[in-house]
Amino acid sequence: MDRIAKAELLACKNPYGFSAGLHHFVDLWARDSLFATFGANEAGMAGVTKKTLETFLRYQRRDGLIPYRVMRTKSDIGKYLGHPTYLPRPRPNFRSRQSGGTVADGGLMTIIAASQYIGRTKDKNFLRKQYGALKLAVQWYEKQFRGNLIREWLLCEWADAVLKLGNTLYTNVLYWKALEDMSRLAKALGHQNDAQTFCKRRDHIGALVHDRFWNGRYFADWIDWKRQDYFASHPNMLAVLFGLTDAKGARAILTYAGIHCWNSFTLETNHPCYPFWRIPIVHHVIGMADYHNRGCLWLQPGILYAAALHQTGEKAEAKRVLTKISEKIMEYNGVYEVYEKSGAPVDRLFYKAEHPFAWSSGLFLWANDLVFGKKYG
């Protein structure tokens, strides 16, 4: 299964780094491409990680914002039928094509992935060269939100098939982690004042996340006019892995996930279901209203669940979970974007799961190294 995942990730390599996939996700998406680099660093592809980071940094705006997507192709019907028309040169996206809102996670993921890459490779030359750009990236959030939690418009976070507005857990967990990583990177270069500044901001954002999102069992999904107490598995797993919780909180989150979201080989995206009206009408029309709503099953939350179990000392259970995911990869001889409840990759009238899928491939390689101590040649 690790051989399959490595081949799938390698297939997504291009001159600019890792694309999200090879069919209709041929662009570089920050969350897809940069989470994929976690495994690339472990599997002998750190050079592609570096190229991916350089691509996102190259298209950084003058004010510091890094794109959430670097487009390699036109957005036309041919692209979504698997016949993309490539642009003469890549083009950055900063705003959602669905809602027009600014998508905030590009810079956060770039900082987090850069920290992972530097920690793994000890590439201080890269850090020295890019430190100014990384610092400018994190300062954009401080200036935009004036020390408060990141606030987003509709359809701008990872679960961009659900109508959420306001402070989303996913993006603010990334914000906390990016501040922690910037403090670490600053310290590595001897920039003690920067390190202290980022550390203070991290503590402030962490306190806000705990105060506003924690409901006693897990972190709520988002906050608009009130706290929306849905359980979103992906960002809750990240909160555990990144260390945003104490041991008691981590155990509460993992217990809730195991009871309410485990579904034979991965975690459901959320619990309970989002209501009908929170899903954009186009997703209902094309038969994909369950894309991010307890219908389609993604491997990423399950992979993160295994890693979080391992990190909290549940090592036997972590191995069991990751083995289930491994069996699914072997069953279909590939890593797919989304699966049906039956376990088969999604193949519906108007939507077919992306394959190969870099995000899940890279995360699996990273988790396999963590949980099983697998070393790649």
Side-chain angles (χ1 to χ4, degrees):
M1 62 284 187
D2 51 293
R3 173 188 56 81
I4 296 170
K6 185 175 180 179
E8 299 278 274
L9 181 57
L10 189 59
C12 296
K13 174 186 173 183
N14 61 70
Y16 305 101
F18 289 115
S19 59
L22 287 185
H23 183 262
H24 51 274
F25 285 149
V26 294
D27 302 324
L28 278 73
W29 293 72
R31 58 193 73 127
D32 298 67
S33 302
L34 294 171
F35 268 121
T37 66
F38 286 28
N41 298 333
E42 306 299 331
M45 291 180 264
V48 191
T49 294
K50 184 177 181 180
K51 179 64 68 175
T52 307
L53 288 164
E54 289 172 339
T55 294
F56 280 98
L57 289 163
R58 183 180 310 126
Y59 290 101
Q60 183 176 32
R61 257 179 12 193
R62 190 170 296 180
D63 65 356
L65 183 62
I66 289 176
Y68 77 95
R69 175 168 63 163
V70 176
M71 292 185 65
R72 300 172 61 217
T73 65
K74 294 181 179 179
S75 286
D76 54 25
I77 191 64
K79 177 177 185 174
Y80 295 96
L81 294 174
H83 303 289
T85 302
Y86 285 88
L87 299 166
R89 62 183 62 85
R91 188 169 66 215
N93 281 166
F94 298 93
R95 291 185 175 274
S96 166
R97 291 297 181 93
Q98 298 185 87
S99 71
T102 298
V103 181
D105 65 350
L108 304 173
M109 279 307 309
T110 299
I111 292 164
I112 293 166
S115 180
Q116 285 276 333
Y117 165 75
I118 293 161
R120 185 69 176 83
T121 65
K122 313 303 179 188
D123 189 350
K124 265 201 166 179
N125 287 333
F126 176 84
L127 175 57
R128 291 188 189 97
K129 181 179 179 181
Q130 301 294 355
Y131 180 77
L134 295 171
K135 181 178 177 179
L136 184 62
V138 78
Q139 287 175 330
W140 182 87
Y141 301 94
E142 180 71 16
K143 292 174 183 176
Q144 185 76 14
F145 301 101
R146 301 183 183 277
N148 293 315
L149 295 172
I150 293 172
R151 187 173 179 84
E152 294 177 285
W153 189 239
L154 299 167
L155 307 175
C156 289
E157 66 132 27
W158 170 63
D160 58 2
V162 184
L163 295 168
K164 305 178 189 179
L165 177 69
N167 305 127
T168 61
L169 177 63
Y170 167 77
T171 306
N172 282 289
V173 168
L174 294 184
Y175 188 23
W176 180 86
K177 175 61 172 171
L179 286 166
E180 179 176 81
D181 284 349
M182 279 304 304
S183 179
R184 184 180 299 113
L185 294 174
K187 192 176 294 184
L189 290 181
H191 300 323
Q192 296 301 328
N193 288 339
D194 281 357
Q196 290 174 10
T197 296
F198 294 131
C199 188
K200 288 178 181 177
R201 291 180 187 169
R202 175 206 65 191
D203 291 346
H204 174 65
I205 294 301
L208 288 176
V209 170
H210 276 274
D211 181 58
R212 300 183 187 178
F213 285 91
W214 185 253
N215 66 11
R217 297 171 296 168
Y218 54 82
F219 291 109
D221 197 347
W222 79 96
I223 303 166
D224 39 36
W225 63 89
K226 67 172 186 176
R227 191 181 69 200
Q228 299 289 348
D229 278 335
Y230 296 92
F231 178 82
S233 59
H234 190 265
N236 269 281
M237 294 307 109
L238 289 176
V240 174
L241 278 166
F242 291 160
L244 187 51
T245 58
D246 59 16
K248 183 178 178 182
R251 175 49 39 208
I253 289 170
L254 294 173
T255 298
Y256 192 94
I259 293 171
H260 296 284
C261 290
W262 178 251
N263 192 321
S264 75
F265 66 94
T266 190
L267 292 182
E268 303 265 7
T269 52
N270 54 285
H271 181 268
C273 280
Y274 302 118
F276 177 93
W277 61 271
R278 282 208 177 270
I279 308 301
I281 190 64
V282 66
H283 288 80
H284 289 287
V285 171
I286 66 173
M288 290 298 294
D290 60 350
Y291 189 59
H292 283 133
N293 195 18
R294 291 188 67 85
C296 294
L297 296 173
W298 304 70
L299 295 186
Q300 303 100 299
I303 294 168
L304 295 174
Y305 181 47
L309 287 165
H310 176 86
Q311 184 167 293
T312 56
E314 299 287 338
K315 296 187 178 181
E317 182 64 6
K319 289 179 179 179
R320 186 190 73 81
V321 168
L322 202 59
T323 297
K324 290 292 184 181
I325 295 169
S326 302
E327 290 169 354
K328 184 57 58 180
I329 291 172
M330 289 188 290
E331 181 180 357
Y332 290 96
N333 194 34
V335 181
Y336 288 78
E337 175 199 9
V338 281
Y339 299 78
E340 299 286 4
K341 292 287 184 70
S342 66
V346 168
D347 187 2
R348 301 180 186 175
L349 181 61
F350 294 111
Y351 195 82
K352 183 172 183 172
E354 180 64 292
H355 170 251
F357 191 54
W359 188 347
S360 295
S361 299
L363 269 189
F364 177 82
L365 291 169
W366 168 77
N368 207 34
D369 175 76
L370 177 72
V371 173
F372 287 104
K374 174 67 178 179
K375 301 300 179 185
Y376 304 98

